[in-house]
């Protein structure tokens, strides 16, 4: 499928979530473009209009960006299946919801307020944000926010870190210069600031920190991602009960303070108590990782993938065609063509290749000319029989409700999937006889 994901800005948490979806769903053609709610270059708008015509699904990750497209390109907007991923709790219920085929939220609290929405918990790249075995001995606090503004409670954290003598490492984009100046003055001498940190810099900041703080006000966050990222990296988290904290907290994996974002006395007491109790922090490191390891980006992407399929011809279940192959490119090509020519409206193809002669060039060429989701698995045969392993590897990745196995020496008739689907019965195996019309 061809999918256009619209985000607010490049480099934001919303954009990073979209890129995880793109990375973990290579079987689809996914393009990500930023549309600002207020200011957009005309060339960007023209490109996005073309992509709206090109795509099969329009995935809006910020409702205000979607509103811009609805008003600017009403025809293209109206004709596409659309989903809206609500990233902010404070605009959860608004008139824009009516223009979408599907709504998505990222935490249980938001779904409680909008029960018609699908719940897809946020995930992160656990291969990148790995647990850090070398926990720091230094008293360093980190805070990572999308925008440095009053709702994030940054000034209060800077003030308390200065009072306690803790180094404060701050990552974010300046929203209001006056507020940022207050933050820098409050943390004078103890604050280090990164405005456009790379992912590698962000991870290094996490690894160098003893504690991560989230101090946002109520009803402002749906996440945050830095909470998950720090839990994964083994950094103890001190937070307020905001966003998805209620979904993550189990009484042992983080410290959730009850004071308001502006309550300096409560923040001072809880931060100092945690920083001076290394035994507690070491326990939080392990418990935090146990929580974060269940929030991987692949799981999130697969949930969104299921929603994509539900948007397109929901009345038909997805079928996965699995073709194992090994050093038989000519026969594979015919089998692959047979799979591509199926008249059933909703299927994916998974190629599991254990050969020395890779068929990946054939796959890449097919992707240029087809919107059918195609996955390619490559693994070494190690001079062993690999047919069972090839099938099993494909089964693990398959998204289909039904699995159809087709060895590379067989070319399916174009109506094969339709025939199998019409003959389907609960708890049954179906097979075709290549010597007959069955």
């Amino acid at each position: 499928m061809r999918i256009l994901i619209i985000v607010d800005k490049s480099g934001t948490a919303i954009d990073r979530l979209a890129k995880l979806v793109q990375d973990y769903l290579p079987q689809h053609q996914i393009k990500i473009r930023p549309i600002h709610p207020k200011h957009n270059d005309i060339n960007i708008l023209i490109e996005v209009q073309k992509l709206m015509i090109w795509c099969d699904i329009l995935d809006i990750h910020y409702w205000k960006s979607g509103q811009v497209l609805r008003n600017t390109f009403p025809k293209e907007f109206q004709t596409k299946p659309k989903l809206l991923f609500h990233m902010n709790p404070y605009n959860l219920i608004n008139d824009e919801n009516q223009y979408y085929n599907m709504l998505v939220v990222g935490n249980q609290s938001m779904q409680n307020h909008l029960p018609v929405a699908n719940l897809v918990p946020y995930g992160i790249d656990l291969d990148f944000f790995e647990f850090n075995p070398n926990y720091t001995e230094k008293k360093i606090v980190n805070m990572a926010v999308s925008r440095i503004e009053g709702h994030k409670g940054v000034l209060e954290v800077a003030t308390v870190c200065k009072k306690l003598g803790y180094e404060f490492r701050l990552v974010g984009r300046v929203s209001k210069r006056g507020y940022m100046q207050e933050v820098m003055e409050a943390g004078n001498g103890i604050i280090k600031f990164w405005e456009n940190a790379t992912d590698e810099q962000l991870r290094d900041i996490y690894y160098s920190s003893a504690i991560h703080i989230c101090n946002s006000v109520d009803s402002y966050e749906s996440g945050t991602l830095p909470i998950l990222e720090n839990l994964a990296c083994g950094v103890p988290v001190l937070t307020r009960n905001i966003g998805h904290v209620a979904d993550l907290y189990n009484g042992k994996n983080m410290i959730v303070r009850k004071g308001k974002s502006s309550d300096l006395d409560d923040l001072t007491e809880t931060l100092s108590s945690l920083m001076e109790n290394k035994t507690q922090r070491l326990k939080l490191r392990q418990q935090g990782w146990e929580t974060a390891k269940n929030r991987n980006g692949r799981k999130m992407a697969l949930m969104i993938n299921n929603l994509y399929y539900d948007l397109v011809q929901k009345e038909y279940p997805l079928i996965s065609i699995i073709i194992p192959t090994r050093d038989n490119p000519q026969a594979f090509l015919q089998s692959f063509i047979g799979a591509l020519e199926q008249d059933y409206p909703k299927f994916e193809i998974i190629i599991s290749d254990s050969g020395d002669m890779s068929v990946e060039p054939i796959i890449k060429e097919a992707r240029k000319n087809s919107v059918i989701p195609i996955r390619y698995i490559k693994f070494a045969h190690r001079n062993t029989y690999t047919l069972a392993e090839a099938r099993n590897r494909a089964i693990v990745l398959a998204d289909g409700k039904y699995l159809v196995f087709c060895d590379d020496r067989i070319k399916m008739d174009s109506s094969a999937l339709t025939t199998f689907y019409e003959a389907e019965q609960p708890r049954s195996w179906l097979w075709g006889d290549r010597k007959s019309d069955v």
Side-chain angles (χ1 to χ4, degrees):
M1 286 188 288
R2 295 171 297 203
I3 300 162
L4 175 59
I5 301 180
I6 298 297
V7 300
D8 55 343
K9 297 179 183 177
S10 297
T12 63
I14 294 175
D15 182 49
R16 289 165 63 198
L17 286 169
K19 287 179 178 176
L20 281 178
V21 174
Q22 183 181 51
D23 290 344
Y24 283 111
L25 299 180
Q27 68 270 34
H28 300 306
Q29 300 175 46
I30 299 179
K31 297 184 183 296
I32 303 170
R33 293 295 184 272
I35 290 293
H36 193 274
K38 296 180 181 179
H39 311 292
N40 291 287
D41 183 87
I42 184 64
N43 293 321
I44 292 177
L45 289 173
I46 292 173
E47 181 196 15
V48 168
Q49 182 185 26
K50 293 178 180 178
L51 290 174
M52 290 174 72
I53 297 171
W54 162 86
C55 72
D56 299 307
I57 291 176
L58 187 57
D59 181 355
I60 304 296
H61 271 40
Y62 185 47
W63 73 271
K64 286 187 176 180
S65 299
Q67 188 178 50
V68 171
L69 296 184
R70 182 177 64 80
N71 291 329
T72 308
F73 308 115
K75 179 180 177 181
E76 292 84 352
F77 187 89
Q78 183 178 1
T79 57
K80 297 296 180 177
K82 298 173 290 295
L83 68 82
L84 172 60
F85 204 139
H86 274 293
M87 301 289 182
N88 298 309
Y90 47 86
N91 291 121
L92 193 57
I93 300 176
N94 62 59
D95 292 339
E96 289 299 307
N97 290 346
Q98 65 182 307
Y99 300 109
Y100 292 86
N101 306 95
M102 185 179 292
L103 303 175
V104 185
V105 295
N107 66 55
Q108 187 61 61
S109 174
M110 292 173 70
Q111 191 185 46
N112 292 342
H113 285 86
L114 190 63
V116 297
N118 297 272
L119 174 60
V120 178
Y122 299 145
I124 59 173
D125 185 350
L126 292 175
D127 292 327
F128 183 79
F129 292 105
E130 293 183 296
F131 185 85
N132 176 26
N134 302 312
Y135 185 49
T136 183
E137 296 290 334
K138 297 180 179 179
K139 296 179 179 180
I140 298 174
V141 173
N142 85 65
M143 194 174 189
V145 297
S146 56
R147 297 191 304 272
I148 298 173
E149 57 186 0
H151 293 101
K152 300 287 186 176
V154 181
L155 178 59
E156 290 80 0
V157 175
T159 301
V160 169
C161 284
K162 174 71 172 180
K163 177 181 178 180
L164 296 173
Y166 301 156
E167 182 177 319
F168 180 35
R169 298 189 172 181
L170 174 63
V171 180
R173 294 185 178 184
V174 177
S175 179
K176 296 182 179 180
R177 291 291 172 184
Y179 182 79
M180 184 63 196
Q181 184 175 352
E182 289 185 66
V183 170
M184 296 302 291
E185 290 175 354
N188 183 37
I190 55 95
I191 190 171
K192 293 184 178 180
F193 171 57
W194 290 259
E195 182 162 20
N196 294 299
T198 65
D199 288 345
E200 289 74 17
Q201 287 175 320
L202 183 64
R203 181 181 58 188
D204 289 342
I205 292 166
Y206 293 162
Y207 283 170
S208 69
S209 302
I211 295 173
H212 167 75
I213 289 185
C214 178
N215 192 42
S216 299
V217 300
D218 294 341
S219 303
Y220 191 73
E221 306 282 8
S222 63
T224 65
L225 285 187
I227 289 177
L228 277 178
E229 291 163 354
N230 278 275
L231 291 175
C233 290
V235 182
V237 170
L238 170 60
T239 180
R240 300 186 66 250
N241 189 12
I242 50 87
H244 58 191
V245 168
D247 298 351
L248 298 170
Y249 183 54
N250 64 10
K252 300 182 293 184
N253 55 1
M254 64 182 81
I255 300 298
V256 180
R257 71 183 191 91
K258 297 180 179 179
K260 293 183 178 181
S261 176
S262 58
D263 190 338
L264 295 182
D265 291 337
D266 181 71
L267 179 57
T268 301
E269 180 181 350
T270 51
L271 176 57
S272 175
S273 176
L274 181 57
M275 186 68 82
E276 303 309 320
N277 190 339
K278 186 176 181 180
T279 299
Q280 183 184 25
R281 285 188 279 125
L282 292 177
K283 291 180 180 178
L284 288 172
R285 270 168 51 81
Q286 187 58 46
Q287 290 294 326
W289 158 245
E290 292 295 330
T291 297
K293 71 180 184 181
N294 297 313
R295 288 298 193 98
N296 64 79
R298 172 173 168 74
K299 182 178 180 180
M300 177 191 70
L302 292 178
M303 294 180 71
I304 292 176
N305 187 45
N306 290 334
L307 298 181
Y308 287 158
Y309 280 118
D310 283 346
L311 274 175
V312 181
Q313 295 174 315
K314 189 174 183 178
E315 64 273 20
Y316 290 95
L318 178 69
I319 297 178
S320 299
I321 301 175
I322 294 173
I323 306 177
T325 188
R326 176 174 171 178
D327 293 328
N328 197 6
Q330 293 303 319
F332 164 76
L333 178 59
Q334 294 306 309
S335 180
F336 185 40
I337 290 173
L340 290 169
E341 292 178 342
Q342 292 302 299
D343 60 14
Y344 184 78
K346 192 173 178 180
F347 67 95
E348 66 174 357
I349 303 172
I350 306 176
I351 314 302
S352 192
D353 181 5
S354 59
D356 294 319
M357 294 183 291
S358 172
V359 299
E360 189 171 16
I362 299 174
I363 310 299
K364 289 182 177 179
E365 191 63 29
R367 284 173 174 160
K368 294 178 183 179
N369 302 295
S370 175
V371 298
I372 297 168
I374 306 171
R375 302 194 197 199
Y376 178 67
I377 305 169
K378 186 73 175 74
F379 67 100
H381 58 71
R382 304 179 299 278
N383 295 317
T384 61
Y385 176 77
T386 57
L387 181 57
E389 181 179 355
R391 289 171 175 166
N392 288 337
R393 285 175 176 264
I395 290 171
V396 171
L397 289 183
D399 292 323
K401 180 178 180 180
Y402 302 108
L403 307 181
V404 171
F405 298 91
C406 181
D407 292 351
D408 64 1
R409 67 185 186 277
I410 299 172
K411 181 179 179 181
M412 291 190 292
D413 184 82
S414 61
S415 62
L417 291 191
T418 299
T419 302
F420 274 107
Y421 173 62
E422 291 175 348
E424 181 271 335
Q425 298 178 22
R427 302 179 64 84
S428 63
W429 287 85
L430 303 176
W431 65 91
D433 185 346
R434 57 180 173 169
K435 295 180 181 179
S436 70
D437 294 329
V438 178

